[in-house]
Each structure stands twice: as structure tokens, then as C-alpha cells.
Amino acid sequence: MVSLLAKDVYLQNLARKICAQPSPEPQKRKSAGKPQRPEAAGPPKKKRKRGQKKSREREEKKAVAPKAQALGKKSRAASQVGKPVKAKEEKISGSSGAPADGPSREPDSSFALDVLRQRLHEKIQEARGQGSAMELSPATVEKRRRRKQERDRKKRKRKELRAKEKAAKAAKTAEAAEPSPVVPGKEVQGQPGLLFNKVEVSEEPPASKAQRRKEKRQQLKGNLTPLTGKNYQQLLERLRARQDRLEELRECDAGRARELETKMQWTNVLYKAEGLKIRDNEQLLQAALKRKEKRRAQRQRRWEKRTAHVVEKMQRRQDQRRQNLRRKKAAKAERRLEKARKKGRVLPQDLQRAGLA
């Protein structure tokens, strides 16, 4: 590092010496207010010709340009390998190395701009933390290494704690899932006054429709089927059959007929208490049957009317379709005849109309 820094300083001083060569001073214009120089001061200087001055300036430019370019290349290589010089030395070298005249200033200024640009990039990389490890001091490297070790240690510790917590949680879940052994003869300890009933669930499949009907027949009260439902014709027939049976039984045994009638009445009352609607009135059943037949007849008439209307509508649409097809066909034929007439053909229809056929 020290040797590279010394090389950089040496190159800077060398560039300053090369670029700071004295240039010819420009002739000053004679001012009107200044008095002329006395003759005792010496003979007046001879004026150089303009062509000689220009040729001398060209020679100086040619001599300075290759040296500055070679110096710039050496300084760029040295700045890329070693650590850059401090900002104060850059300012001093830039200010002192600038020559007085314009032609020799251009290579020095480009060299200084390249050096400054390179150092700026290196500063930016250092600020972002992308600088090379050679530029850092041993204390900084050691400090960073210790910080990284501490971060890794904390990360491992956190991972171990998480693993322990996960294992403890899994163990608790397994213990909760395992059923506790029930010891026979010992009562379950709990709060006084709480009773736990035992609920038994039968594994039998649900009963079918026929099975439910059979069970319903077995639960009949007095072996009498209740007169329920909306099949009024069937209900009316069953009611008339019961009345005929009672009439026959009255003719044979009035006492048994009276007992059967009482039993039927009590059975109907029990069914009504359960919420069933018993239809045992013959007049109401006849009226309901009449209304039902009337509604059925109305629906039948309405359906027949709708069917006739649909058939009529379909026929109308078919007739309209046939008429449209016929009209399209006639229009197409007429268009063909018109095309033939335009071409100059004589058609039989035209001859018939003219009476020449």
C-alpha cells in the first residue's frame, strides 16, 4: 500500500513538472496613456513574425501530448491497483498541475477527470459495502467476522427453541388424543348435582316404507283405520261400508251394534286428539267429491282447448311458411326472366301477351 501511494505521488509530481512548462508571453498592446520607453533603456526588441510563433506552438503541442498520454495510462493503472490518495492531495495536484496556457491544459484536465471519476466509483462501492477486503483494515474485518458469528449463533438458538416448542406441543396433542383409562367400580369425580346419562345409538338401518306401514297398522286403535286423506271416493266407499255393517248388525244384535258404534266414535276422538283430520261426514265427502270432479272437468276442458289452440297455431305457421316459399320461388323466376329480357331474348310469355303466339 505504501509503495503504491508513493508511486502515485511521484507520478503526480512528474505530470505537474511536464505540464507546467513556460509558454511565450503574449505581446502587450500599447496603451495610449503610457509614455514611450526612453532610449537609455536599451535597443527595442525585434518583433517575431507570426508564422514563426505558430510553428513553435505546434512543436510544443507535439512534444507535450505523447508524454501526457503515457503518464495518464500509468496513473490509471496505479489508481486501479492501489488505494487512492486523499481528497486534499487531489485538489492540490489539480490546482498546481494546471499550466498557464490553453494547449497544454487539455491532457492534464482529462487525466485529472479520469482519476477523479475512478476515485468516485471506488467511494460509491465503499459506501455500498462492495469494496474489496484488501481496502478494509484488520480491525474492521475482525469486527465484521465477530458480528457474523454472533448472528449465526442467535439463529441456531432460535431454531433449537422452535424445535423444542414444536415437540412439546406435539406431545401434548398426543396425550389429549389418547383416551383416559376408565377404572370400573370408581365413580367419576365431578361437581355434585350433575348427572351424565348414557345414550345408546342403535346400529339398525332405517325402516323401509313397507315396514313403517306395517307398524302403523299394528298401532291402530280399536283395529279401525282412520278415515283420513284426500281420496274422497275411497273415503266415501269405506264410510258407506261401515254404515252397512252397522245396519246389518242392528238387525241381528242391537247391543253389539251399539257397542261397535261407541267404539268407532271413541276411536275417532282419539285420532282427532293426535291431530289427524277424520273425514266421517257423508254429506261433506259428497260435496268435496263433487268439487274435485268439477275441477277435474275444468282442467280437462282447458287442456283440450289449449291442445286445439296449439294445433291451430302450428297449422297457421305451416301455411305461412308455404306461402313464403311460393312467393320467393315466383320472385326468383321473375328475376331470371328480367335478366333474359335485358339480354334481348324473346320469351313465350311476352309473345302470348302481344298475341303473336
Side-chain angles (χ1 to χ4, degrees), residues 284-300:
L284 294 177
L285 284 174
Q286 287 178 356
L289 182 61
K290 192 175 181 180
R291 285 195 303 272
K292 189 174 182 181
E293 289 176 354
K294 190 176 180 181
R295 283 197 298 272
R296 185 180 295 170
Q298 286 178 354
R299 284 198 294 270
Q300 184 68 24

Side-chain angles (χ1 to χ4, degrees), residues 3 8 79 118 124 128 130 139 152 165 190 211 292 317:
S3 62
D8 193 10
S79 62
Q118 181 66 27
I124 291 169
R128 289 179 181 175
Q130 296 177 356
D152 294 342
E165 289 177 0
Q211 185 70 20
K292 189 174 182 181
R317 292 179 68 181

Side-chain angles (χ1 to χ4, degrees), residues 39-50:
E39 294 179 359
K45 291 183 180 180
K46 294 181 180 181
K47 292 183 180 180
R48 293 180 183 176
K49 292 183 180 180
R50 201 168 185 178

